[in-house]
Amino acid sequence: MNKNRDGEAAHKDLNPDTRLTIGGRDPFAHHGYVNPPVYHASTLLYPTAEDFVARRGRYQYGRRGTPTSEALENAVRELEGPACAGVALLPSGLAAISVALLSVLRAGQHVLVTDSCYGPTRTFCDTVLTRYGIATTYYDPLIGGGISELMQPNTRAVFTEAPGSLSFEMQDIPAIAAAAHAKGALVLMDNTWASPLYFRAFDKGVDLSVQSGTKYIGGHSDVMLGTVSANTATWAALRETVGTMGLCVGPDDMFLGLRGLRTMGVRLARHQEAALAIARWLEMRPEVLRVLHPALPSHPGHPIWKRDFTGACGLFSIVLKPVPDKAVLAFLNTLTLFGIGASWGGYESLAIPFNCQKVRTATTWAPGGPTVRFHIGLEDVSDLTADLERGFAAMAAVK
Ligand SMILES: Cc1ncc(COP(=O)(O)O)c(C=O)c1O
């Protein structure tokens, strides 16, 4: 918040929860109101023809930015830390991923993408990138510094996601980044799970960090939004790509993002605490083979999580001991407090079955039993475990 105009520079010494509440705010530019107004804007009028010809003024056109978009961009930038040179807003998390990739890649180049990426990221690489002459190689998410061996002379970027979508492999981002940078490649990361609150992507060697704002930034399952944060090496190309492609976000969706962001710290802390309590409870259940949650000491990626992350969100998976598919469906259908739905990060709990086997090309997915992903919302933990207990009883009843 700029009480005096050099305020933002001073924010770098503040803690993330404080930066969440003041980032991107300038009340006295808006008559003292706490929040910026929501500008519904396309055309912008210039005082004179000379001003128009010279494109004089802070804003040029609705698509290119308004005080509303600027407030959200600045708030996310402050959260990312001082190494963030700029933030672009996109109409979904998937758009943020695809635009981040397009901004650094050109025909004839090669990109390395983790085999554990969010499914539609893979579809984008296999379709649009292929059409534009960019080759993708998928790699084992646990490869670490071994990524060096997969680098080709034309490898321009390495795409990471930690933990892996659905399967929760923990990637060694600093090791991958060191190896990629040594060979002149950039590092992109889908940082939706941890968010900049729990993983400081730029401090770990990432050059472009993506969030699906649809998840915890929005936080209420009522908005589609994406953000790409860039460092100084990538900001100019990102900005040019977004501007040239004419991408922008509707003002009400930006408002919802800005509104959600202010409470993201307290929500995430509560999601984390409840999810860990339920993950520990599930670890003790006789029906459960393994819990895939990197903050649990039993997770193979726990040492990396402990070294590089400062928290966890409400999303994790479990592997059940072998039971028929219809028993898993009975478990899910019996739950009343867990919705059956894909997009997580809202205040509500979710549970879905999944199977990564069909999409993997660099690794084999053989967890040893059926798998279910949970998002733990803001409900009372004991109500949720009671619901899960009823689900397990229904599962056991299926022969
Ligand atoms: C890890 C991850 N990244 C990106 C996305 C895409 O976000 P959006 O739904 O906003 O396009 C999702 C959506 O589920 C996701 O789980």
Side-chain angles (χ1 to χ4, degrees):
M1 181 171 57
N2 286 349
K3 257 207 188 96
N4 46 47
R5 295 304 160 105
D6 60 0
E8 269 194 21
H11 295 174
K12 71 176 176 17
D13 297 326
L14 297 172
N15 289 305
D17 279 341
T18 310
R19 277 188 272 124
L20 266 180
T21 69
I22 63 178
R25 283 176 52 210
D26 190 0
F28 296 101
H30 311 293
H31 311 287
Y33 286 110
V34 169
N35 293 300
V38 182
Y39 280 81
H40 289 87
S42 57
T43 203
L44 183 134
L45 304 180
Y46 293 78
T48 67
E50 290 83 353
D51 290 326
F52 179 80
V53 171
R55 294 291 190 276
R56 267 198 287 269
R58 184 155 167 192
Y59 304 101
Q60 269 91 47
Y61 185 40
R63 196 179 61 214
R64 301 299 297 236
T66 65
T68 312
S69 62
E70 210 170 62
L72 182 53
E73 287 160 5
N74 288 342
V76 174
R77 184 156 60 81
E78 285 211 29
L79 205 55
E80 296 278 11
C84 180
V87 172
L89 305 178
L90 281 308
S92 70
L94 180 57
I97 291 165
S98 56
V99 167
L101 284 164
L102 284 176
S103 74
V104 298
L105 293 166
R106 62 194 60 192
Q109 291 183 335
H110 171 241
V111 59
L112 287 161
V113 175
T114 178
D115 211 24
S116 57
C117 68
Y118 173 60
T121 302
R122 180 184 285 267
T123 308
F124 175 76
C125 295
D126 294 345
T127 56
V128 178
L129 289 189
T130 304
R131 274 209 297 280
Y132 287 91
I134 297 155
T136 303
T137 301
Y138 295 97
Y139 66 87
D140 181 343
L142 304 180
I143 201 164
I147 196 88
S148 273
E149 283 151 41
L150 298 183
M151 309 274 296
Q152 302 173 12
N154 61 341
T155 304
R156 172 68 177 145
V158 179
F159 189 94
T160 63
E161 180 178 336
S165 259
L166 299 165
S167 47
F168 292 88
E169 294 93 339
M170 196 39 93
Q171 293 204 265
D172 188 338
I173 303 291
I176 291 173
H181 290 157
K183 297 213 169 165
L186 295 164
V187 178
L188 285 73
M189 181 180 184
D190 183 336
N191 192 26
T192 304
W193 185 83
S195 89
L197 274 177
Y198 294 158
F199 185 78
R200 302 264 297 185
F202 295 115
D203 297 349
K204 307 290 180 207
V206 173
D207 299 293
L208 272 175
S209 181
V210 171
Q211 287 183 85
S212 163
T214 309
K215 311 297 189 266
Y216 290 112
I217 293 180
H220 294 74
S221 302
D222 54 5
V223 64
M224 301 294 306
L225 193 66
T227 68
V228 188
S229 304
N231 64 11
T232 48
T234 53
W235 173 232
L238 175 69
R239 185 184 188 171
E240 190 260 344
T241 305
V242 172
T244 306
M245 292 179 74
L247 295 163
C248 58
V249 177
D252 294 320
D253 289 346
M254 293 190 283
F255 161 75
L256 286 172
L258 207 45
R259 186 185 171 114
L261 197 71
R262 304 301 180 199
T263 58
M264 189 169 143
V266 284
R267 283 187 286 106
L268 261 183
R270 170 65 190 261
H271 284 290
Q272 162 169 240
E273 190 188 327
L276 260 173
I278 291 176
R280 289 194 186 104
W281 181 85
L282 284 164
E283 259 193 326
M284 308 301 288
R285 293 292 308 190
E287 300 87 350
V288 175
L289 191 61
R290 274 182 304 135
V291 178
L292 309 179
H293 190 315
L296 292 179
S298 59
H299 190 278
H302 183 67
I304 291 179
W305 176 82
K306 217 167 150 181
R307 184 192 68 192
D308 293 344
F309 289 64
T310 55
C313 71
L315 195 75
F316 66 92
S317 295
I318 58 168
V319 183
L320 290 163
K321 288 182 185 159
V323 283
D325 285 351
K326 62 181 180 177
V328 180
L329 299 180
F331 168 72
L332 293 169
N333 287 333
T334 302
L335 302 175
T336 58
L337 296 177
F338 290 80
I340 300 169
S343 188
W344 46 280
Y347 54 82
E348 80 287 10
S349 288
L350 301 168
I352 49 166
F354 70 92
N355 186 350
C356 301
Q357 207 171 325
K358 282 191 259 114
V359 295
R360 297 281 169 120
T361 52
T363 52
T364 307
W365 172 251
T371 42
V372 174
R373 188 188 72 182
F374 293 104
H375 178 253
I376 305 303
L378 303 178
E379 303 89 345
D380 182 273
V381 168
S382 60
D383 288 339
L384 292 175
T385 50
D387 203 29
L388 291 168
E389 209 145 359
R390 284 189 293 272
F392 283 130
M395 190 169 96
V398 174
K399 295 285 168 255

